[in-house]
Amino acid sequence: MKEIHIGSLIKKRVEELNIDIKRIISFFKIYSEKDILNQYASSSIQTDDLLKWSKLLEYDFFRIYTQHIILYAPVGKVDSTLSPKSTSLPNYRKNVYTKEIIDYVLDLYTKENKKIQEISDEYNIPKNTIHNWIKKYIT
């Protein structure tokens, strides 16, 4: 997904679980039905609200953004003066590939006949990693 419309994804999950709007309003406490419908229409949602939606709907909506970053974020220049420990924030590796991302990349390779080099260039995934996935999941 290159474009993320989080409101429509939340609405889809609510419909899948068949959750009544009154339960949602009760869960959020301060929102009216109009506020909930506005969130469905919104392409972005505040993180505290997204966390509540994730808990209510038992789905990690943040992972959608994480996968987007892994697939579409440009590789930045490495500043040799900064070490990974130079922040007080948690340090997460970018190269944490979920099963969905692996499947997506393997579909590009098998169904769309993209070359490993093309996939590597487009999504900044090491060629060796793609080769390992092919060995593990295809052959």
Side-chain angles (χ1 to χ4, degrees):
M1 279 193 281
K2 261 196 168 180
E3 300 296 322
I4 300 170
H5 191 287
I6 197 66
S8 65
L9 297 172
I10 289 170
K11 181 179 180 186
K12 189 181 294 187
R13 180 68 175 166
V14 167
E15 291 169 351
E16 288 174 356
L17 297 176
N18 198 26
I19 296 179
D20 186 60
I21 190 114
K22 291 177 185 173
R23 179 172 173 224
I24 297 169
I25 293 168
S26 173
F27 182 83
F28 279 94
K29 293 183 174 77
I30 60 169
Y31 288 140
S32 67
E33 184 172 344
K34 182 181 176 187
D35 295 326
I36 300 300
L37 296 176
N38 284 339
Q39 285 201 353
Y40 290 164
S42 180
S43 63
S44 64
I45 293 178
Q46 291 186 9
T47 54
D48 57 338
D49 286 341
L50 191 59
L51 181 60
K52 290 177 185 176
W53 280 112
S54 294
K55 290 176 181 178
L56 175 66
L57 302 177
E58 299 176 355
Y59 185 86
D60 184 359
F61 288 100
F62 292 96
R63 185 163 297 222
I64 294 167
Y65 292 101
T66 303
Q67 290 180 358
H68 178 87
I69 290 168
I70 290 169
L71 290 175
Y72 299 108
V75 175
K77 292 181 180 179
V78 177
D79 185 351
S80 60
T81 62
L82 295 176
S83 70
K85 296 179 183 176
S86 65
T87 179
S88 60
L89 296 173
N91 186 16
Y92 299 107
R93 289 183 13 205
K94 181 179 174 185
N95 298 334
V96 178
Y97 301 107
T98 64
K99 180 69 172 134
E100 292 85 0
I101 289 177
I102 294 169
D103 290 343
Y104 175 76
V105 169
L106 292 176
D107 280 349
L108 290 175
Y109 177 74
T110 58
K111 294 180 182 171
E112 296 187 26
N113 296 322
K114 278 202 169 192
K115 294 179 180 173
I116 292 171
Q117 183 66 50
E118 292 174 311
I119 297 168
S120 178
D121 291 345
E122 187 171 347
Y123 297 107
N124 301 309
I125 299 171
K127 289 185 284 186
N128 192 39
T129 300
I130 300 169
H131 281 289
N132 288 339
W133 293 343
I134 293 168
K135 284 183 207 170
K136 184 173 182 180
Y137 299 109
I138 296 179
T139 56

